[in-house]
Amino acid sequence: MSPSSSEQTLAVSRAAPGTAEHDAARHRLGLLLVAGASITWSTGGLIARFIEAGPWTIVFWRGVACASFLLLFLAVRERGAVWPLFRAAGVPGIITA
């Protein structure tokens, strides 16, 4: 009896790092993430056309949204320890960001 596609996917995702199966799974994941990002970014122009606000208002709210999502991502990735990242970056890192 051959394994189902979901069982095959689980087997590949459990492959040891550095193996060909693991590398192939990470490559597929990368392709899916890039495809998803390109679709998401390409719809931004369509949505922006429907916004009736000035350009500086749009730039402000885009910045707020980007900063919020970046902080959320860092909080999830670092399990809430975001401030040590800012301290490690120092003043030049924060100014650049």
Side-chain angles (χ1 to χ4, degrees), residues 13-34:
S13 64
R14 292 182 184 160
T19 63
E21 290 176 350
H22 183 263
D23 293 343
R26 293 199 42 104
H27 182 74
R28 280 193 303 274
L29 175 63
L31 290 174
L32 287 172
L33 289 173
V34 169

Side-chain angles (χ1 to χ4, degrees), residues 16-89:
T19 63
E21 290 176 350
H22 183 263
D23 293 343
R26 293 199 42 104
H27 182 74
R28 280 193 303 274
L29 175 63
L31 290 174
L32 287 172
L33 289 173
V34 169
S38 64
I39 291 168
T40 302
W41 280 106
S42 67
T43 58
L46 296 173
I47 295 169
R49 288 179 180 245
F50 293 112
I51 297 174
E52 295 184 14
W56 288 108
T57 305
I58 294 171
V59 168
F60 171 78
W61 286 111
R62 281 185 178 179
V64 168
C66 287
S68 300
F69 284 115
L70 181 59
L71 283 172
L72 178 66
F73 170 76
L74 290 174
V76 169
R77 189 184 77 175
E78 299 297 325
R79 293 186 168 90
V82 176
W83 293 117
L85 293 174
F86 287 116
R87 280 194 293 271

